[in-house]
């Protein structure tokens, strides 16, 4: 791993593939077909791309039960405990509206309501992560969303991964469709004979899924289009090099485009981490992926001072940040921009990916400057409420009418002034 | 205005112009030029499209003072009172993070921080609304955003509208640039020699501005791309037809694509409102616009029952909803989807556009199903925090490692397991 002195303007930003025109044309065709032909289009595309002809699009209770029966008991228990932890953390995000009394009987309000229906896209194959089911569904449940749907492509055997079904089962979700790709996004956005449309679509996916989500955005809400994973570690000479290296590699193994960066005040740590990364890479099953990531985007920066290191981290605005230093909690208070912060030696980042309770859907590619991890707010919307009494209206109508006329909107002024006359 | 019996599946959705390929090509060129040439490109485009050569891009203190001096005192006072009302309402939206203790010294947290810098785009010419300055800036100020910038195209005289400068002055905003169109969005997103980049861009604009915002989305955050204004009124026979008609027209006068709909249980009201709309249209200064809107998208629906009317409103999910019925407050409680709700005869919708305190930037085109009006949450982001003690780590590491291995991510398992050994 390359070691360099810290310089101004480090960026974790990578030039990411936005999809090409050909892919976009395919996606638009799929969207149009599903919109006009519904289930028939879903079946045709599933047969064409997923390699099997679905008898029924919705997963049956028998299929779910069969998967649960075959699923490892210990893992089921681990997933259940993780789900409970995630629920506990997200329950703190529940909010109620408010009411402001204005006097004279008038008031303003804010009402917070859950979305009616949400769809979670779960990628198929080796990228099927039961943990994603927990992380996407639980905030929606805590928000009070009454209908939560999962769409995921089945394998050639027509089955969904048991882990995905187990995670859904633990959460009480049983509206699950065996549909993937852009056609799944189309079905969730527009609806078909079998699949009623939803109001928001979340969850990761390949380039076709990402393009389809962008296309239906506006028709329905979508979550952010997440980029490859990132980790930045801020460490001093109290950190153990093998642990830092292992944490860097845990992000690097996700994707050749993943990014793992160490910022440290210790030259010695820098050298030893670089050695450890090389050594640990040798036995890592996903070595090829991790190595590419380290070569492409891995870096170790040496900072003169902790202050300089903190400034560098804030300019990075990383998805994940580990702080393994003396007084790590105080250092954490100086961080302005990071999706998820992991404090101290024992808070290795995968702790948050699976189990601690925080969400693992976090803003990538420096968007932590302005974006947040998935949370309960993402599944509610707010309505404002105005109640003006006659008295409040009478006191303020002239001001409102003046402001409207200033903007050239006479109709607005007249609407306000139309009240209060003696009428038949 | 056309009167019809209420039927299933009313939609306020209009097929809205999304911009064509030529416009997009222009926007992309502008973005690229500003990115590479900075201020020089801003000056060139301003001269080309706004018809004057800017001596300085930033509005000077003298220009601001000159505008304030010439501005109407009464209006300045009205704007100030409106600003205070808006601040009062939005202050209720301030939030702090939280901390969950897990035992054994471990804890999880959520930290909420304001964005560092936000840019507000204010359209030029007749569409320059001082009220928009209040509605966009105040939530950002309440959130704690430290740098708030305004960009707006000057007229051929090189001046910005006095009302816009007055509103900014009332709020203490003095970083104001005379730049408009896609070039303004580019400057805010990428930065130039004069204009430092921001993290989020809000505010309305023409099709070039909207396309530019879509293009820079991801680089920076943007607010929703708002469509033409909408109003739905739910009224029974207690409502006055002239008031309902005036309120419908107050939205219709915005844009030929605006939409004004009455849903009523009273046939008599329906007939009289239709008459009143025709009559009031005759003297409305913006008659041509309002008439087109009413013809294109205006409608009166008669419902058999209030329940049916409420269901229709919920399926519409209108931007603005007025409820002028008996027990209007109770009726309001049955509304699930609306951007802003105005209860009772005296809460004419323009009350909220200018003065009451709620935000007038609201979700259009049925997106109130999943979106909210502009609010303080739009100017903050949340970071999650994990602190695991050695004990908590020891109790849970095996579970986390199992979950990671289930997903085929051995590097994740190893990272967690790397802790806790006796090391040199």
């Amino acid at each position: 791993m390359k070691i360099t002195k810290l310089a101004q303007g480090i960026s974790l930003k990578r030039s990411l593939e936005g999809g090409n025109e050909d892919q976009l044309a395919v996606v638009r065709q799929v969207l149009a077909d599903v919109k006009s032909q519904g289930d028939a289009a879903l079946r045709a595309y599933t047969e064409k791309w997923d390699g099997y002809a679905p008898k029924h699009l919705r997963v049956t209770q028998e299929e779910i039960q069969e998967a649960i029966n075959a699923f490892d008991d210990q893992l089921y228990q681990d997933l259940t405990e993780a789900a409970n932890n995630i629920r506990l953390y997200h329950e703190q995000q529940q909010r109620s509206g408010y009411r402001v009394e204005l006097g004279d009987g008038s008031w303003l309000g804010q009402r917070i309501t859950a979305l009616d229906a949400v769809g979670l896209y779960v990628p198929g194959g080796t990228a099927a992560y039961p943990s994603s089911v927990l992380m996407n569904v639980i905030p929606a449940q805590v928000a009070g969303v009454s209908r939560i749907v999962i769409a995921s492509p089945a394998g050639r055997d027509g089955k969904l991964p048991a882990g995905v079904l187990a995670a859904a089962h633990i959460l009480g979700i049983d509206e699950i469709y065996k549909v993937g790709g852009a056609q799944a996004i189309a079905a969730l956005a527009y609806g078909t004979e079998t699949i009623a449309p939803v109001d928001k679509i979340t969850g990761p996916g390949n380039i076709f899924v990402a393009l389809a989500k962008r296309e239906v955005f506006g028709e329905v809400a979508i979550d952010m289009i997440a980029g490859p994973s990132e980790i930045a570690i801020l460490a001093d000479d109290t950190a153990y090099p093998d642990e830092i290296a292992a944490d860097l590699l845990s992000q690097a193994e996700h994707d050749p485009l993943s990014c793992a960066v160490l910022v440290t005040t210790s030259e010695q740590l820098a050298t030893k981490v670089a050695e450890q990364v090389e050594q640990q890479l040798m036995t890592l099953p996903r070595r090829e992926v991790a190595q590419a990531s380290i070569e492409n985007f891995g870096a170790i920066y040496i900072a003169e001072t902790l202050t300089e290191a903190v400034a560098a981290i804030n300019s990075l605005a990383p998805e994940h940040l580990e702080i393994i230093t003396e007084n790590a909690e105080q250092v954490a208070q100086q961080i302005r921009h990071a999706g998820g912060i992991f404090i101290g030696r024992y808070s290795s980042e995968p702790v948050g990916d699976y189990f601690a309770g925080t969400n693992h859907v976090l803003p990538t590619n420096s968007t932590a400057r302005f974006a947040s991890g998935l949370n309960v707010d993402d599944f509610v919307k707010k309505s404002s409420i105005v109640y003006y009494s006659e008295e409040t209206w009478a006191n303020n109508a002239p001001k409102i009418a003046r402001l409207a006329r200033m903007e050239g909107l006479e109709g607005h002024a007249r609407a306000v002034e139309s009240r209060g006359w003696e009428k038949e």
Side-chain angles (χ1 to χ4, degrees), chain A:
Chain A
M1 245 177 132
K2 210 179 145 204
I3 302 176
T4 44
K5 292 268 178 196
L6 193 59
Q8 284 288 311
I10 298 181
S11 177
L12 280 182
K13 282 201 186 176
R14 284 145 287 160
S15 184
L16 299 174
E17 183 54 63
N20 61 38
E21 289 303 317
D22 289 349
Q23 291 168 325
L24 186 59
V26 169
V27 164
R28 287 185 172 156
Q29 186 63 50
V30 171
L31 293 176
D33 287 349
V34 173
K35 198 171 190 175
S36 64
Q37 296 157 46
D39 285 347
L42 291 186
R43 289 174 183 283
Y45 281 118
T46 300
E47 196 161 352
K48 182 173 172 189
W49 285 328
D50 297 339
Y52 83 103
K55 220 162 60 188
H56 38 75
L57 292 167
R58 181 165 172 172
V59 176
T60 63
Q61 286 301 326
E62 292 70 41
E63 286 176 297
I64 295 172
Q65 206 48 62
E66 193 188 321
I68 305 300
N69 292 343
F71 195 68
D72 182 83
D73 281 349
Q74 181 66 65
L75 281 174
Y76 193 87
Q77 203 177 305
D78 294 337
L79 277 173
T80 304
E81 192 172 344
N84 292 339
N85 293 346
I86 297 164
R87 197 172 301 276
L88 178 77
Y89 178 75
H90 287 80
E91 275 171 354
Q92 303 289 325
Q93 295 167 8
Q94 283 174 315
R95 296 163 70 192
S96 42
Y98 62 87
R99 187 169 158 140
V100 184
E101 301 295 335
L102 301 179
D104 294 328
S106 299
W107 57 275
L108 306 176
Q110 185 190 60
R111 183 191 293 166
I112 300 182
T113 40
L115 305 195
D116 283 348
V118 167
L120 164 60
Y121 184 80
V122 177
T126 52
Y129 298 136
S131 59
S132 291
V133 175
L134 305 185
M135 293 293 178
N136 281 270
V137 168
I138 292 171
Q141 289 185 321
V142 171
V145 175
S146 50
R147 179 172 167 251
I148 301 174
V149 180
I150 292 175
S152 186
R156 285 177 176 274
D157 58 356
K159 289 185 178 175
L160 290 183
V164 167
L165 294 179
H169 188 71
I170 286 165
L171 303 178
I173 302 298
D174 69 354
E175 188 178 346
I176 304 169
Y177 299 100
K178 293 191 265 189
V179 201
Q183 60 274 26
I185 303 304
L188 293 172
Y190 308 131
T192 69
E193 301 91 318
T194 304
I195 306 179
V198 301
D199 299 309
K200 182 163 190 166
I201 302 171
T202 70
N206 64 18
I207 187 67
F208 293 99
V209 170
L211 287 172
K213 280 169 72 180
R214 265 191 209 279
E215 289 289 305
V216 301
F217 173 54
E219 185 82 26
V220 296
I222 60 169
D223 60 349
M224 53 193 151
I225 309 279
S229 197
E230 302 157 358
I231 191 169
I233 303 180
L234 173 57
D236 63 14
D237 53 18
T238 65
Y240 292 94
D242 62 322
E243 300 175 7
I244 304 296
D247 289 1
L248 292 170
L249 289 173
S250 78
Q251 291 308 299
E253 77 171 342
H254 272 298
D255 194 305
L257 294 174
S258 293
C259 176
V261 169
L262 168 65
V263 180
T264 179
T265 47
S266 163
E267 287 200 37
Q268 202 189 8
L269 184 76
T271 312
K272 287 191 177 169
V273 167
E275 287 166 16
Q276 274 290 325
V277 165
E278 294 310 314
Q279 199 175 314
Q280 293 183 24
L281 259 175
M282 294 195 293
T283 64
L284 201 64
R286 294 172 63 84
R287 175 184 178 167
E288 227 168 291
V289 172
Q291 192 148 23
S293 155
I294 293 289
E295 277 167 18
N296 291 333
F297 300 108
I300 297 175
Y301 296 103
I302 297 171
E304 293 284 331
T305 62
L306 191 65
T307 307
E308 194 189 54
V310 165
I313 295 294
N314 279 326
S315 76
L316 289 173
E319 180 192 15
H320 303 103
L321 170 65
E322 289 184 4
I323 303 176
I324 304 179
T325 62
E326 266 195 295
N327 302 318
E329 196 171 332
Q330 279 153 264
V331 174
Q333 280 162 16
Q334 301 167 48
I335 300 300
R336 286 191 53 75
H337 309 298
I341 301 171
F342 298 81
I343 298 176
R345 178 182 174 197
Y346 293 100
S347 310
S348 173
E349 189 275 326
V351 160
D353 284 341
Y354 290 108
F355 194 78
T358 52
N359 208 291
H360 78 195
V361 181
L362 293 169
T364 56
N365 209 29
S366 295
T367 59
R369 290 188 66 78
F370 50 76
S372 309
L374 198 67
N375 65 90
V376 172
D377 292 343
D378 292 320
F379 297 101
V380 302
K381 72 279 197 311
K382 302 150 219 164
S383 303
S384 60
I385 308 178
V386 174
Y387 173 74
Y388 256 30
S389 67
E390 180 172 3
E391 217 166 338
T392 304
W393 166 81
N395 288 337
N396 296 302
K399 306 169 197 170
I400 301 168
R402 277 195 298 265
L403 290 168
R405 291 197 169 100
M406 167 184 67
E407 295 190 351
L409 295 172
E410 176 67 22
H412 284 59
R414 290 186 189 175
V416 175
E417 290 172 342
S418 71
R419 269 64 180 179
W421 305 101
E422 288 298 322
K423 290 170 191 171
E424 81 276 27

